[in-house]
Structures are given as structure tokens and as C-alpha cells.
Amino acid sequence: MTRDRSDSIDISNSETTDRPAFRAWLDATADRFESADERRVEVFVRSMLPPLGAKSGQEALIARLDELTDESSLDAVSVTVTGDRLCLCETCAGTDTERALLDRIAELDEWGGDHDATASPFFEVRDLDSAMADETARALVPPRVTTALYCDDSLAGVFPCRIDGQEYAVADFADALHHFCEERQLVVEP
């Protein structure tokens, strides 16, 4: 397999792609995407029924990713519901379900060292207090939608994120992924 791709990636938002750190991520990830045997996207959502207004955007993202899976070199898309908040107390964090989600989020949080990138600012830790119940709790609040790109089981990108101090949305990731899939052409050698 080989590819026919120009050296410079060109996606629709040139203001985004003109930034050197994001360009470096695009170029490195395009190469990883091309050489991978398996390419998959994990989507993390707070709810399968977000507030109206956000619902159509979430549906459009999932439909776009499913279409790329059906028509391109993207192998799989999975959707995981995180809920609005994850309790960080020992009891809740000790359950299998919560521990699995917290471990996945920790992996997403660790991504980006090679590109001066981080998803951390988008995963908020909040202290919750109830004067009536005289209780407090700490909670992790994930973004409404988070996407993670894997190339051969290696995490290649997490959105939303900050790269070199600039914020990038899930839409920036979707545009880049579309380009990666579009530019990957299979050539059968005799």
C-alpha cells in the first residue's frame, strides 16, 4: 500500500492549520494514520440525549464518523457515555464501571507530550457542597463530547485540546480525520 498525498495537508480552516504546532500534529498524525494497520475513533459523550441545540451537532459528528468508517480507511467508531459527572470518592472510583471510565480519561489526559498538547483543561474537577445535606464531594466533569484517535492501539489525538496554548475543538479533529481518510489511497501493486 502506498499513498498519493501532497506534502502539505490542506483542510478547510486555514486559520487553524496555519499554526505551526497544529500543523506539526497534522503532519505527524497523517503519517501515523497512513502506516497504521488499524485506525479507530472513540467518542465520549455525557449523554446520548444532550440538550437540544447540542443534540444535532452530536448526531452529525457520529453520523460523519460512521460514514468515514463505511467509506474509507477508518476501521471503527465507538461511543461511550460518561455521564455528566464522575464522582471521585473512593467508593465510586472503586466500582468497575467508574474505574474503567477514570482510567480511560487518565489516558486521554496523558496524551500530547510530543506536540505540546493537553486535553486536561477540558476535564474539570469540581467540589460540590450541600449545606442542607452537610456533604461535599469531588467530581470530574468531562466535555460534552470528546474524541480520541487511535492508530494501532496508540493514542494519536484527543479533542478538544490545547496545542501550544491554542484551543482546538472536536470539529477541527473531524476535519483533519476526514482529510486523513480522503488522502489515503490504496494502490494495488502487480
Side-chain angles (χ1 to χ4, degrees):
M1 286 191 243
T2 61
R3 68 181 163 165
D4 180 16
R5 174 174 85 85
S6 67
D7 289 335
S8 180
I9 293 175
D10 181 28
I11 61 177
S12 61
N13 188 349
S14 65
E15 181 181 317
T16 299
T17 59
D18 286 344
R19 297 179 182 144
F22 187 73
R23 165 81 42 212
W25 175 82
L26 278 172
D27 292 341
T29 305
D31 291 340
R32 287 177 73 182
F33 193 88
E34 169 62 29
S35 63
D37 290 326
E38 180 188 24
R39 300 153 204 86
R40 63 186 169 86
V41 173
E42 291 186 11
V43 181
F44 298 88
V45 297
R46 287 188 199 165
S47 171
M48 291 305 291
L49 182 57
L52 298 180
K55 182 179 184 311
S56 61
Q58 183 172 305
E59 288 174 342
L61 172 68
I62 293 169
R64 185 176 183 187
L65 294 173
D66 284 342
E67 183 178 302
L68 286 174
T69 302
D70 292 341
E71 300 175 0
S72 75
S73 57
L74 185 62
D75 297 301
V77 174
S78 64
V79 178
T80 300
V81 178
T82 62
D84 290 336
R85 297 180 296 229
L86 297 152
C87 181
L88 298 175
C89 77
E90 288 182 34
T91 301
C92 295
T95 65
D96 292 341
T97 301
E98 182 107 0
R99 177 57 22 214
L101 277 171
L102 290 172
D103 289 347
R104 299 296 294 158
I105 290 170
E107 179 186 13
L108 301 179
D109 186 44
E110 292 171 6
W111 170 78
D114 294 343
H115 301 285
D116 190 22
T118 182
S120 292
F122 302 96
F123 292 88
E124 298 177 53
V125 175
R126 293 187 185 161
D127 291 318
L128 308 171
D129 296 310
S130 171
M132 293 185 80
D134 194 31
E135 292 181 323
T136 61
R138 289 182 61 86
L140 177 69
V141 180
R144 183 163 309 286
V145 177
T146 305
T147 54
L149 173 65
Y150 288 84
C151 296
D152 290 334
D153 293 327
S154 177
L155 186 56
V158 177
F159 288 79
C161 69
R162 283 190 188 146
I163 300 176
D164 195 29
Q166 295 291 320
E167 291 187 4
Y168 296 93
V170 170
D172 296 315
F173 164 74
D175 289 344
L177 182 65
H178 181 80
H179 183 78
F180 298 155
C181 290
E182 188 176 75
E183 289 298 314
R184 188 169 188 279
Q185 298 177 359
L186 302 178
V187 176
V188 178
E189 297 179 15

